[in-house]
Amino acid sequence: MKVVEIRGYQLGFSPTPPIGNARTFIRRRDFLLLQVITDSGLSGWGEVFASPHAAGALVQARLAGMVLGESPLHYGRLWDRMMASIGYDRRGVAMMAISALDMALHDIAAKAQQTSVAAMLGGRLRDQVFAYASGPFIAEGSDPYGQYLKETDAYLKRGFRAIKPRAGFDPRADGVMAGNLRRHVGPEIGLMVDINQGYTARAAIESARRMQDAELLWIEEPVLPEDIAGTAAVAAAVATAISGGEALGSLAAFRDFLVAGTFSILQPDLTVCGGYSGFQRVAALAAAWDLPVMPHVFGTIVNQRAALQMAALLPARRGGGPAPYPYMEIDATPNPLLTVAGEMTVDRDGMMAVPDAPGTGLDLDPERLAPWLTATWRCTP
């Protein structure tokens, strides 16, 4: 079995209303999906969500030639080959391009063995993963947190037992918001916040202190991802766990943050850190620090299904919330590329089933992508 074609699907849509966080209002969401096709008829899917256009160009110009004609069963060797080719760019677009290809190769290899990715990588530790709603998001206008209670009620009705609203408007407003949410949902619902890199270290510390009574499980990305010293200062100053890692691409980047005493929870993204191959290395590093690790996911159904397989492999860690870690992040906004292959549902306990079908369990017909398609391309030998 050999790879005979790589197809790229550039996709995008404009969310209504815009998705607000501490740094920006997202008015356009763009993605790259890769379909890697073999001469046996099997194909696998990978995703880039952070820099889709640049990653697509790199796949076409350099990486496709390293994969075409090769067996997808050799995903480890191909990962090493691609990593050896990227030179300086070990924390950016090159890692994202490699991530998508690695995800797709694993998907094919598992399908070829008629098993799931989790089973192929050693066997899942759980059949279900506790899921949390990633939202609500900051609104435009004079009342950025005004719809949070109403939106939270909608998440709870869907079965979620944990929510992660966006914070970072200002420390005083953050404290009021978090306190109102905790009183509204009660003590049994997991509550954490994401600041999306929006504060300086001093502002993040002030915000965390004002939110302390809300008993947050974690505060995510309080400062810029390059700011190791700032993250360490926040972690040392507040009692709440600090999490992050979605913007880190290389194993060395995670090492540097851990050595500095920053994160209590690691959140690598499969589409950024090197796919399954890179994520497993990060998870091993987290184990050396005895820290929980869980996937960051905020894209399409491709990464969501891949992250479920990865979460099934991660050891349980108790973080004080309604269930042991790892948790599964679910984009709670209207995202048609998350539901293009069916609704993502949780049960009344907030649990999401891990598919046991071959690969990631995703049977995606490219024709379904047509409403959001902006460009296509293909690479052949």
Side-chain angles (χ1 to χ4, degrees):
M1 180 174 60
K2 295 182 178 180
V3 175
V4 295
E5 186 176 357
I6 299 172
R7 296 179 185 174
Y9 301 89
Q10 302 283 169
L11 306 163
F13 65 94
S14 298
T16 304
I19 300 172
N21 61 41
R23 291 189 303 111
T24 189
F25 285 92
I26 301 171
R27 304 181 189 280
R28 178 73 183 177
R29 299 184 70 179
D30 291 294
F31 306 92
L32 169 66
L33 295 188
L34 292 185
Q35 184 183 22
V36 176
I37 302 170
T38 68
D39 56 3
S40 71
L42 293 177
S43 66
W45 290 89
E47 176 183 328
V48 178
F49 94 98
S51 297
H53 298 93
L58 186 60
V59 170
Q60 295 174 78
R62 183 186 301 174
L63 299 178
M66 300 180 187
V67 174
L68 290 166
E70 299 291 335
S71 169
L73 300 178
H74 298 159
Y75 50 80
R77 185 173 72 188
L78 293 175
W79 192 84
D80 283 337
R81 178 185 297 177
M82 291 186 288
M83 287 293 295
S85 76
I86 61 178
Y88 300 139
D89 182 23
R90 295 183 176 273
R91 302 193 183 194
V93 170
M95 287 300 298
M96 298 171 196
I98 290 172
S99 297
L101 287 167
D102 184 81
M103 293 166 71
L105 292 170
H106 276 75
D107 192 17
I108 299 170
K111 289 175 179 175
Q113 299 172 52
Q114 285 294 299
T115 192
S116 68
V117 171
M120 181 181 71
L121 294 178
R124 60 188 185 179
L125 301 179
R126 58 190 60 83
D127 299 329
Q128 295 178 308
V129 179
F130 185 80
Y132 69 88
S134 191
F137 287 80
I138 295 172
E140 292 183 293
S142 60
D143 193 6
Y145 301 142
Q147 297 298 310
Y148 273 26
L149 299 186
K150 179 181 178 182
E151 292 181 28
T152 294
D153 284 340
Y155 303 155
L156 297 179
K157 288 180 180 178
R158 290 171 58 184
F160 289 107
R161 311 306 295 163
I163 63 169
K164 187 180 75 179
R166 288 340 186 244
F169 182 73
D170 70 57
R172 186 183 300 274
D174 295 345
V176 173
M177 176 272 292
N180 287 341
L181 270 178
R182 174 53 73 198
R183 287 186 291 272
H184 186 70
V185 302
E188 303 303 320
I189 299 298
L191 185 62
M192 42 281 203
V193 301
D194 191 343
I195 296 177
N196 291 106
Q197 313 166 15
Y199 276 147
T200 63
R202 288 187 179 276
I205 291 168
E206 177 65 17
S207 174
R209 288 174 174 168
R210 289 181 177 273
M211 294 189 291
Q212 185 168 339
D213 289 345
E215 299 181 339
L216 302 176
L217 294 179
W218 71 72
I219 296 172
E220 190 168 327
E221 286 200 313
V223 299
L224 289 172
E226 297 87 355
D227 188 0
I228 296 177
T231 308
V234 176
V238 304
T240 306
I242 303 302
S243 73
E246 69 187 69
L248 304 182
S250 71
L251 188 63
F254 283 92
R255 176 205 61 201
D256 292 347
F257 270 83
L258 291 178
V259 167
T262 54
F263 298 135
S264 295
I265 300 168
L266 296 190
Q267 297 167 303
D269 192 304
L270 281 159
T271 70
V272 176
C273 72
Y276 294 103
S277 297
F279 196 112
Q280 289 180 97
R281 287 164 170 79
V282 174
L285 188 64
W289 265 264
D290 195 24
L291 294 178
V293 59
M294 60 186 81
H296 169 269
V297 195
F298 201 73
T300 79
I301 187 64
V302 171
N303 192 22
Q304 194 75 63
R305 288 295 187 92
L308 268 172
Q309 295 294 314
M310 194 67 243
L313 294 165
L314 299 172
R317 291 288 186 273
R318 293 194 175 274
Y325 298 149
Y327 290 179
M328 174 57 54
E329 181 174 16
I330 305 295
D331 178 1
T333 68
N335 179 351
L337 295 176
L338 189 60
T339 58
V340 67
E343 293 291 330
M344 302 290 291
T345 61
V346 298
D347 65 19
R348 66 172 63 185
D349 297 318
M351 304 296 290
M352 177 169 286
V354 179
D356 197 29
T360 66
L362 178 62
D363 183 17
L364 182 58
D365 182 351
E367 292 186 1
R368 297 183 186 177
L369 303 174
W372 309 283
L373 196 62
T374 59
T376 61
W377 49 263
R378 58 195 295 263
C379 299
T380 56

